[in-house]
Amino acid sequence: MFLSTARGAAVLVVALAALSVSCGADPAPPSRVAGASASASAQPSDQRSASPGGESSATGAATDGAAVAPEEVRNAFAGLQATLNDSCTPGECAYFLGRVDKELARLDRAMKSDPKGPGHFPEPIALIAKLDAELGDDRTFENLKKHEKSLIGTRDKINVWMQGHPDDYR
């Protein structure tokens, strides 16, 4: 009896240790929404790594202007698509609008640093640039809410554009 209890405890300790290592090794990227946290707003969004997991891309390069792995646009687009079934509901609106903004920024960076070149994605990049001009540097919930129609419209137009270019995300 003692042996099986000790073995069970050892398995539990190993599982908890592995879980804490995997959860603690990947801090969340800073938010683009102003006021999300003091440390997040102090860090520029360019400090985020190439992949959502905080790792460099398969080519070993970060997103600071260097080329990224071809799957980066696909991953960024998948993140944007994950917002399609969500909406601005009471209690979740700030998170939702901030996430759409963050996913658009991630897709923009991925497209601009894709090996095919930013000229391969002219419409999505132009749509994001137009939205960024409307939003300015203000990524507060109030400003995102004020521009909610443009934010969601940009997301939806990019989704339609990407659906017409399946070779870029499959």
Side-chain angles (χ1 to χ4, degrees):
M1 180 73 177
F2 173 74
L3 187 58
S4 67
T5 304
R7 197 175 305 152
V11 169
L12 179 62
V13 168
V14 170
L16 289 174
L19 181 62
S20 67
V21 168
S22 67
C23 291
D26 184 18
S31 172
R32 281 185 43 156
V33 179
S37 74
S39 63
S41 61
Q43 297 176 347
S45 62
D46 291 335
Q47 288 183 355
R48 293 182 213 156
S49 62
S51 72
E55 305 161 2
S56 292
S57 67
T59 61
T63 58
D64 57 358
V68 296
E71 63 271 0
E72 187 64 26
V73 170
R74 179 179 62 226
N75 293 342
F77 181 55
L80 185 65
Q81 282 188 307
T83 69
L84 290 174
N85 292 326
D86 295 336
S87 63
C88 196
T89 59
E92 293 293 321
C93 194
Y95 168 77
F96 168 68
L97 295 177
R99 180 166 179 215
V100 171
D101 181 53
K102 183 186 93 177
E103 295 297 346
L104 285 169
R106 179 177 164 213
L107 183 62
D108 187 50
R109 285 191 313 275
M111 288 178 169
K112 287 178 178 175
S113 59
D114 189 80
K116 296 174 187 173
H120 187 74
F121 305 98
E123 190 172 333
I125 290 173
L127 288 167
I128 294 169
K130 180 181 175 195
L131 176 66
D132 282 345
E134 285 181 37
L135 293 173
D137 291 333
D138 185 2
R139 293 304 202 259
T140 61
F141 169 65
E142 292 77 20
N143 195 44
L144 292 176
K145 182 69 175 161
K146 178 180 167 185
H147 294 94
E148 178 180 2
K149 190 173 183 175
S150 294
L151 188 65
I152 302 307
T154 299
R155 177 201 65 185
D156 293 346
K157 288 175 187 173
I158 289 173
N159 182 55
V160 169
W161 191 91
M162 290 294 286
Q163 296 293 334
H165 298 80
D167 57 310
D168 294 320
Y169 69 90
R170 288 192 180 159

